[in-house]
Structures are given as C-alpha cells and as structure tokens.
Amino acid sequence: MSDTLNCPSCLAAMTSRVFERRYGPPITIDLCQGCQGIWFDNQELLQLTPGATLELLGLIAGVESQARVQLAVRLGCPRCTHRLTEVHDLQRTTRFSYFRCPEAHGRFLTYYQFLRAKNFVRSLAVTEVDELRKHIRQVNCSNCGAPVDIERGAACGYCRTPIAILDPDQVRKAVAELRTADQEEKTIAPDWPLRVMMERVRAERVFAEAGENPDGFRQALRADSTDLLATGLQVLKGLLG
C-alpha cells in the first residue's frame, strides 16, 4: 500500500505530517491544502496532544491564501474508496460534523470543522450578518468553499453551514487553554507558572496589536474579504507566532 493518500474530495496527493500522540507512537495525519481538509486514521483526532494540536493549528494558519477547491458531492475513503458518510458530533458544547469511512478506516474534516471542534469558531449573530450585508454580497462557505449569497440567506445552500468567523475572544481562550494543557502534560519546571503567565501576556499583546476593540469586527468586514475563515486565520497565525 502506498504511503501517500489521495484527498477524499479532489483526489490530489495529500501531504503527510507527523504529530505527537497522547499515548503510543507518533501520529501521521494527511492534509489537502486545495480542499483545506484533514484525514485522520481511526481515532487519531482524539489522540493528539495539546502541543500537537497547537502545531496542527499553526500549519492550518500558515497555509497560503488561495482559492479553495469546493468539496465534491461524493467523498471516497482514501483507504478503501467506500463513500464517506456525514456524521454530526459534539465536542464539549460545540456541534461539528465530519465524514466517516463505513469500514472505520478514518474520518475527513475540513479545516473549518476541525477549528469548530476545537472551539475556535462561532456562527455570526443576526446583527452581524446584517452588518456583513452592508459591505459584501457574497462570501465563500468556511466549511465547503461554495459561494454563499448572503442576500438570500445566512447559511450555505450546499452544505447548510451557517456563516461563521474565528472569534478573537474564543481564539485567545482556546490557544491559552491548549498551551496550559501542553505545559501540564510535560515535566513541570520551577518556572512553569511564570512561563504560562508570559504566554498569556504575549497573547494579549498580539490581539492588542491586531487592533482588537469594540469596532474590530466591523473593521474586519470592511476589509472586503469574501473568505471569513482566511481572515480569521491571519489573526490565529499572529497569535501562534
């Protein structure tokens, strides 16, 4: 069997990356930059260490901005080619979805759904959608990449995903929690509390420099971007450094 997997959607060769596992040998995860999707074998999604999750987030945030390939109607398992089934799940209090192989070979998540599972994403409120309509008529779905005419609705007509954005407060909190958990899983050094405090101060400074303020969301909308996920990833990239 070839070590290179093809994307379940566009069939292009995926890029393999090795990450730390909570217990046992390292995990190899496959990413498709064109479709902005991730393939996890078996239960690998649940086995990433906090540090590995931060590393994967850094890779996602560092992806070069480009036109995303819209997800195909039929997604096939890269291991057995059986059609993947859409599954809805719950991580803490956050609902997200993914595509699962019926033979239990693994699951395919878009970057959006992975970020949603890690509590980085929130759907826009009605008032925020109204504000968005004042500046932009069409955006790309953060989940599947399909165009969304926001004059006609606040959700993707293709995959039904609501218009969403990476919320600065949620991003800051989630990154801080992952960094703290990562430190706790490692050998606790005498200066651990100081290092955690410095990380939090650094996070505050990054968002301050990014111009976080009560009008920050409106300023982001006026950037005239049609990809709200890509805009949010720029903030995440700055925070992860």
Side-chain angles (χ1 to χ4, degrees):
M1 181 182 295
S2 173
D3 292 331
T4 302
L5 296 184
N6 293 329
C7 173
S9 178
C10 70
L11 304 182
M14 303 180 80
T15 301
S16 298
R17 297 279 186 167
V18 177
F19 297 92
E20 185 180 14
R21 185 196 301 260
R22 283 185 180 276
Y23 307 103
I27 298 170
T28 298
I29 294 175
D30 300 277
L31 300 93
C32 176
Q33 181 171 332
C35 292
Q36 294 190 11
I38 314 170
W39 175 259
F40 295 91
D41 282 326
N42 302 317
Q43 300 298 317
E44 289 177 343
L45 174 63
L46 305 176
Q47 297 172 352
L48 289 171
T49 65
T53 300
L54 284 168
E55 186 180 350
L56 179 53
L57 288 170
L59 286 175
I60 291 174
V63 168
E64 294 293 331
S65 179
Q66 64 180 40
R68 195 179 342 161
V69 179
Q70 185 174 330
L71 291 184
V73 174
R74 184 189 188 281
L75 304 180
C77 173
R79 297 291 186 191
C80 67
T81 72
H82 279 86
R83 183 168 186 167
L84 301 180
T85 303
E86 186 176 12
V87 176
H88 297 272
D89 208 336
L90 188 68
Q91 180 84 349
R92 297 182 181 177
T93 60
T94 302
R95 297 187 181 278
F96 69 101
S97 64
Y98 58 86
F99 296 92
R100 181 178 62 190
C101 171
E103 300 297 326
H105 287 131
R107 58 195 74 186
F108 182 73
L109 281 78
T110 60
Y111 287 177
Y112 167 82
Q113 292 296 349
F114 177 75
L115 291 167
R116 188 170 181 84
K118 297 304 179 182
N119 205 32
F120 278 75
V121 177
R122 69 169 176 83
S123 300
L124 297 188
V126 175
T127 54
E128 292 171 328
V129 173
D130 289 340
E131 181 68 25
L132 184 63
R133 288 191 178 109
K134 295 177 182 178
H135 308 284
I136 305 172
R137 178 180 177 183
Q138 179 177 290
V139 297
N140 296 327
C141 175
S142 298
N143 183 40
C144 72
V148 180
D149 185 348
I150 59 177
E151 292 294 330
R152 304 180 64 179
C156 176
Y158 181 77
C159 71
R160 307 176 302 282
T161 300
I163 299 174
I165 194 169
L166 270 71
D167 182 86
D169 288 334
Q170 288 188 214
V171 169
R172 176 173 52 190
K173 180 180 178 181
V175 168
E177 288 177 351
L178 284 169
R179 282 177 169 157
T180 300
D182 183 47
Q183 291 291 343
E184 290 176 346
E185 288 200 357
K186 297 176 180 177
T187 302
I188 299 180
D191 63 341
W192 175 77
L194 176 61
R195 283 162 35 193
V196 172
M197 182 181 69
M198 290 176 65
E199 286 292 344
R200 289 176 177 169
V201 170
R202 189 170 80 88
E204 293 284 349
R205 184 168 60 249
V206 167
F207 274 93
E209 292 174 352
E212 184 184 6
N213 55 63
D215 293 325
F217 180 78
R218 289 185 175 83
Q219 291 175 1
L221 297 183
R222 293 193 180 99
D224 200 30
S225 171
T226 59
D227 194 328
L228 301 182
L229 181 62
T231 301
L233 288 176
Q234 292 303 308
V235 177
L236 177 59
K237 181 178 180 180
L239 178 58
L240 294 174

